[in-house]
Amino acid sequence: MTTPTFEDAVSRIVRKDPRFAERAYSFLKDALDFTIAFAITCLLCNPQSLLYRIVEKKKLCRRDIPAFLLLGLLFGNIALGKQCYLAILALSFFVLLLRLIWQKDPLQKKVLWRNYLIIVGVFLAVFAFRAGFDIAHYGTEKSQVKEAVAIQYADYDKNPSTPTEELNPSWHMYSRGYTLSDVFAENPDWFAMSYKSFCGLLQDHDTGAWYYWCMGLLYLTLFAGIGIATFRQPDNLQGKIRFVICTLLMVGELAASIVNSWLIESMAQGRYLLPCILIAGYLASTVPELFQKKIYRTLLSIAGILSVGYFGLVGIPLFF
């Protein structure tokens, strides 16, 4: 019996899923955006991170240039990525804004303003570079080029050249005059499917409901623990404001996913809610005493084991 080659494995996957290339591109694009968002969240979580050291630095020198460039590139790339990860950009903005507001030393406040503006300058330069690349590559007709590619490669029921009455009912519902309530009429299980695809896979029909109930209860319990620990801290107005802002960002993620279903396609996309995990992770880092509690560490470990187990036992086999 011969050992299958890498090419054999890829061919097998493609035969099983003709849209493998499209899904692979989507996966890799999401993976890149999530990796950058994760890196930014790690910088926000660690009080001694490069981000906080550089924004607090009074005297700058040439050796600080790479740090400013890296931070500006990270924020610029997350802004140019999938729109759902703009929540991480908003999180960074509010965290740094609260740091500025709570700074009492006038001189240090000026230092923060100066260093913030340097990062913003690099951030804007990333946009300028992207705009210049688009103009050099597409000219001023990028939208026409995208439409031409869509006409050439998109499925018939989602193709711009297809008559409106023959388009997929869930496709671009807003531009076709449908209301937001029509989105849920077309996809009545939208919330259930969004949650299932958030912590599992839509194409998985074998895993019992117990897994999703367990994960939901664990998520809610862990988040509630963060909230309770935050509001129990004495004289922590900044932390309480931060918790409220982050909660609103997470609600905003859900609202944005709903709007995306209305504007683009009503199919549930739980991956658009993944930034909520990063936001919750940041909040958890602000209450380190919570991780001293054995029950909290146990619940967190159970959630991790279930997630990794699902990925290994269900996720990977679905592709082979």
Side-chain angles (χ1 to χ4, degrees), residues 13-14 16-31 82 155 158 201-203 265 267 269 271 318-319:
I13 296 173
V14 171
K16 189 173 181 179
D17 184 358
R19 299 180 66 187
F20 171 73
E22 176 189 343
R23 297 181 194 278
Y25 169 78
S26 179
F27 169 79
L28 292 173
K29 183 67 173 66
D30 277 334
K82 278 191 175 294
D155 293 338
K158 298 178 182 178
L201 292 167
L202 282 178
Q203 58 267 47
E265 185 177 15
M267 185 177 71
Q269 296 279 1
R271 60 197 171 105
L318 276 176
F319 289 94

Side-chain angles (χ1 to χ4, degrees), residues 101-119:
I101 293 173
W102 254 260
Q103 177 57 250
K104 303 302 181 183
D105 185 352
L107 291 177
Q108 190 60 35
K109 186 168 285 192
K110 288 182 179 179
V111 169
L112 286 175
W113 269 114
R114 180 200 65 195
N115 294 341
Y116 285 0
L117 289 174
I118 293 174
I119 295 173

Side-chain angles (χ1 to χ4, degrees), residues 68-84:
F68 282 110
L69 290 176
L70 175 62
L71 293 171
L73 284 170
L74 284 174
F75 291 128
N77 275 284
I78 204 68
L80 291 171
K82 278 191 175 294
Q83 289 85 344
C84 60

Side-chain angles (χ1 to χ4, degrees), residues 44-297:
L44 294 173
C45 290
N46 183 3
Q48 304 302 320
S49 71
L50 174 68
L51 172 63
Y52 295 129
R53 293 201 312 270
I54 205 68
V55 298
E56 296 281 357
K57 196 164 186 181
K58 293 180 180 179
K59 293 184 179 180
L60 300 179
C61 60
R62 290 181 179 178
R63 288 179 297 179
D64 298 318
I65 294 176
F68 282 110
L69 290 176
L70 175 62
L71 293 171
L73 284 170
L74 284 174
F75 291 128
N77 275 284
I78 204 68
L80 291 171
K82 278 191 175 294
Q83 289 85 344
C84 60
Y85 289 98
L86 289 176
I88 302 302
L89 195 62
L91 172 66
S92 305
F93 171 80
F94 285 116
V95 169
L96 295 176
L97 178 63
L98 289 174
R99 194 180 190 89
L100 181 66
I101 293 173
W102 254 260
Q103 177 57 250
K104 303 302 181 183
D105 185 352
L107 291 177
Q108 190 60 35
K109 186 168 285 192
K110 288 182 179 179
V111 169
L112 286 175
W113 269 114
R114 180 200 65 195
N115 294 341
Y116 285 0
L117 289 174
I118 293 174
I119 295 173
V120 170
V122 179
F123 171 82
L124 295 175
V126 172
F127 274 88
F129 175 81
R130 173 61 183 269
F133 176 83
D134 283 350
I135 291 174
H137 189 71
Y138 300 107
T140 58
E141 301 176 346
K142 183 177 179 179
S143 59
Q144 292 91 320
V145 172
K146 291 174 68 176
E147 183 177 4
V149 172
I151 290 174
Q152 184 177 358
Y153 294 106
D155 293 338
Y156 179 78
D157 62 347
K158 298 178 182 178
N159 199 298
S161 63
T162 301
T164 303
E165 62 274 10
E166 296 181 29
L167 287 172
N168 188 309
S170 68
W171 188 246
H172 288 198
M173 297 185 72
Y174 172 76
S175 63
R176 293 160 59 198
Y178 290 99
T179 64
L180 190 57
S181 59
D182 292 327
V183 173
F184 300 108
E186 173 64 27
N187 193 349
D189 296 326
W190 190 92
F191 286 101
M193 292 298 99
S194 289
Y195 172 67
K196 182 178 180 181
S197 58
F198 171 72
C199 59
L201 292 167
L202 282 178
Q203 58 267 47
D204 171 29
H205 303 293
D206 298 324
T207 303
W210 67 269
Y211 169 76
Y212 299 101
W213 276 104
C214 283
M215 292 304 295
L217 290 172
L218 285 168
Y219 286 148
L220 290 174
T221 303
L222 291 170
F223 187 72
I226 296 170
I228 293 170
T230 300
F231 282 88
R232 278 184 175 175
Q233 289 178 331
D235 302 320
N236 187 26
L237 179 60
Q238 182 180 359
K240 294 171 184 176
I241 292 174
R242 189 167 49 213
F243 182 86
V244 171
I245 289 174
C246 287
T247 302
L248 291 175
L249 286 175
M250 295 166 77
V251 173
E253 280 288 283
L254 177 61
S257 183
I258 293 173
V259 171
N260 180 78
S261 294
W262 188 21
L263 298 178
I264 309 298
E265 185 177 15
S266 67
M267 185 177 71
Q269 296 279 1
R271 60 197 171 105
Y272 295 156
L273 304 178
L274 286 177
C276 294
I277 295 290
L278 300 177
I279 296 172
Y282 166 73
L283 283 176
S285 75
T286 64
V287 282
E289 66 275 12
L290 191 59
F291 295 94
Q292 302 302 316
K293 299 182 182 298
K294 186 175 181 180
I295 181 63
Y296 197 83
R297 296 200 307 271

